[in-house]
Amino acid sequence: TAGRLWDSITDPIIASLSDRCNSKWGRRRPFLAAGTLPACLSCALLFFPIVGSESLWNVLWVGVFQCLFYLFFTVYCTPYFTLVAEMGHNSKERLRLSTWCSITFALGTVLASGAQPIGNVSWKGDPLTNYQVGVCIICVIAALAMFVPVVTINESRYCISKPADISVYQALRRCVLNPHFRRYVVSDFGFFFGSTIITTGMPYYLTVLCKEDESLLIAVAATVVVVSFVSYVPVMLLASRYGKKKVVLIAFAWLTWIFPALFFLGDGLQPIPPKTQIFVLAALASVPIAALGFLPGAILSDIAVHDSCRSGVSQEGMYFATRTLISKFGVTLGVLVFASLLSFGKDVGDDLGIRLSGLAGLVLFSLSFVVFAYYREEIVLNET
């Protein structure tokens, strides 16, 4: 929660600074360069407490470096994702860039999950030390990868934009007053809200509703990652042919059909074995989640470019920062709502609260579908 509050301050400030930057290196690259090493260093230091046992000093240490990590992560990521809007000179280019960002994000997630085995192979010590070594190796790889755009992207050559000359408040106000952005961000908020409720509840679906061992959670998560990964390119091709809006609406409709099944998961879906139920639902949900993982970024790029063309104000960074900020609020509320639902039952035989989370997802995804149906994609693209 503290991290989210900290982000609510830093996100719009960093975006505004980047939008207004007038460096000879461009508006985004100076921030990528400034954020890379501090973000990776603060990430690594989170795993090296200064006291070898429980201590308030460790709590302080983690709090400080978590805030530093969030700060420099924002310094890097907000300008980075803004480059999708600026380097993509038409809707299809922006779609491809957004797709590749999601693919590399998925690969990075897989790499990060391997900290322990990487450490075990690289260092012959106790499990904790090996894990810390693995984290350090991953942070070094991350730093090298994050520096690639810094040294390879020539903004003056590939990006068509100019520094904005408006304040943080004015930029935020322009985002909120943009009707295309409002429809987009409300539906996006609903997706993050609903999907967080579901992902937070996954251990409960597995152990309480399906009565399976928690160790199976890794295999379920791997199923989601693999199916999502192989779905990226087909979803991109469909969106390129039929339009991003149509595919996003299909994804929302798909989720509204899948997640009510959570209410009946386990005994309610017999004679299908519970283990089969959880894997089938995970695989079925992975496809729309993959679509909603990268298509909204491409759509936001379209909205930001449309606004820049219409108004002459290039505040792409603020659009991405506002979207990121609101999505973080959606994630936070999703965790809080799921925790509240558990008061209605969270144990085997007393599991109503867990089952209600599926209905909560149904409501949120349905609202997202309705709101996004009013998004005018044809206007955004034709006037760009």
Side-chain angles (χ1 to χ4, degrees):
T1 303
R4 302 302 180 198
L5 292 174
W6 176 241
D7 277 346
S8 69
I9 299 172
T10 60
D11 279 348
I13 292 176
I14 297 301
S16 180
L17 290 173
S18 179
D19 283 339
R20 293 185 291 169
C21 181
N22 196 26
S23 168
K24 66 179 181 179
W25 302 105
R27 295 196 294 169
R28 314 304 177 188
R29 285 171 65 202
F31 289 85
L32 304 187
T36 297
L37 289 180
C40 294
L41 181 61
S42 56
C43 177
L45 290 175
L46 280 169
F47 296 88
F48 289 85
I50 55 176
V51 179
S53 59
E54 291 186 10
S55 170
L56 289 176
W57 288 108
N58 287 340
V59 175
L60 180 62
W61 177 272
V62 170
V64 169
F65 282 103
Q66 185 181 54
C67 286
L68 288 174
F69 171 73
Y70 278 129
L71 171 62
F72 290 107
F73 189 70
T74 298
V75 168
Y76 188 94
C77 284
T78 296
Y80 173 79
F81 286 112
T82 302
L83 286 170
V84 173
E86 297 178 345
M87 293 183 65
H89 297 158
N90 57 58
S91 179
K92 290 188 177 181
E93 286 186 2
R94 292 189 286 271
L95 174 59
R96 287 195 292 268
L97 286 171
S98 185
T99 303
W100 281 109
C101 284
S102 293
I103 290 174
T104 52
F105 176 82
L107 292 174
T109 301
V110 172
L111 175 64
S113 67
Q116 189 67 64
I118 290 173
N120 291 341
V121 171
S122 306
W123 193 264
K124 304 302 180 183
D126 60 88
L128 175 59
T129 301
N130 290 355
Y131 183 75
Q132 291 172 321
V133 170
V135 167
C136 291
I137 293 173
I138 290 171
C139 286
V140 170
I141 295 172
L144 294 173
M146 290 165 73
F147 260 120
V148 172
V150 178
V151 299
T152 59
I153 293 177
N154 185 338
E155 286 191 58
S156 62
R157 179 179 179 182
Y158 296 112
C159 301
I160 304 174
S161 63
K162 61 181 180 179
D165 190 24
I166 56 177
S167 66
V168 175
Y169 171 76
Q170 290 172 318
L172 281 170
R173 186 172 183 272
R174 293 188 75 257
C175 289
V176 173
L177 293 178
N178 186 329
H180 305 295
F181 180 72
R182 286 202 304 268
R183 293 162 190 148
Y184 161 86
V185 82
V186 170
S187 63
D188 200 48
F189 172 84
F191 166 70
F192 279 100
F193 195 163
S195 61
T196 300
I197 291 176
I198 304 305
T199 53
T200 306
M202 185 60 72
Y204 291 90
Y205 305 146
L206 182 64
T207 60
V208 178
L209 301 186
C210 292
K211 302 181 182 68
E212 297 290 339
D213 190 84
E214 191 172 4
S215 61
L216 197 64
L217 186 61
I218 296 176
V220 175
T223 300
V224 174
V225 171
V226 171
V227 176
S228 296
F229 187 81
V230 299
S231 300
Y232 284 136
V233 173
V235 169
M236 179 193 71
L237 295 175
L238 288 172
S240 180
R241 180 170 182 177
Y242 298 106
K244 296 185 282 292
K245 177 182 176 179
K246 289 181 180 178
V247 177
V248 167
L249 288 175
I250 291 172
F252 278 132
W254 192 329
L255 289 175
T256 60
W257 172 75
I258 289 175
F259 283 113
L262 292 173
F263 188 84
F264 304 100
L265 193 63
D267 295 337
L269 294 179
Q270 295 285 3
I272 303 173
K275 184 182 294 187
T276 302
Q277 294 176 29
I278 194 73
F279 275 101
V280 169
L281 282 177
L284 289 174
S286 300
V287 178
I289 287 176
L292 294 170
F294 75 91
L295 288 180
I299 292 169
L300 181 56
S301 297
D302 293 337
I303 294 172
V305 171
H306 173 262
D307 179 55
S308 178
C309 292
R310 294 269 295 172
S311 66
V313 179
S314 299
Q315 59 164 70
E316 296 88 351
M318 187 58 73
Y319 276 107
F320 278 87
T322 305
R323 183 257 180 146
T324 302
L325 176 62
I326 293 177
S327 69
K328 289 172 182 174
F329 286 145
V331 170
T332 301
L333 285 174
V335 173
L336 294 175
V337 167
F338 182 81
S340 300
L341 289 174
L342 291 182
S343 63
F344 293 97
K346 60 178 182 179
D347 302 306
V348 176
D350 182 25
D351 53 21
L352 178 61
I354 301 172
R355 296 186 185 278
L356 287 176
S357 66
L359 300 184
L362 167 64
V363 171
L364 289 163
F365 293 134
S366 298
L367 290 174
S368 295
F369 176 92
V370 172
V371 172
F372 194 70
Y374 288 94
Y375 169 65
R376 303 296 299 276
E377 184 177 54
E378 68 280 1
I379 292 178
V380 170
L381 297 182
N382 291 337
E383 295 181 351
T384 299

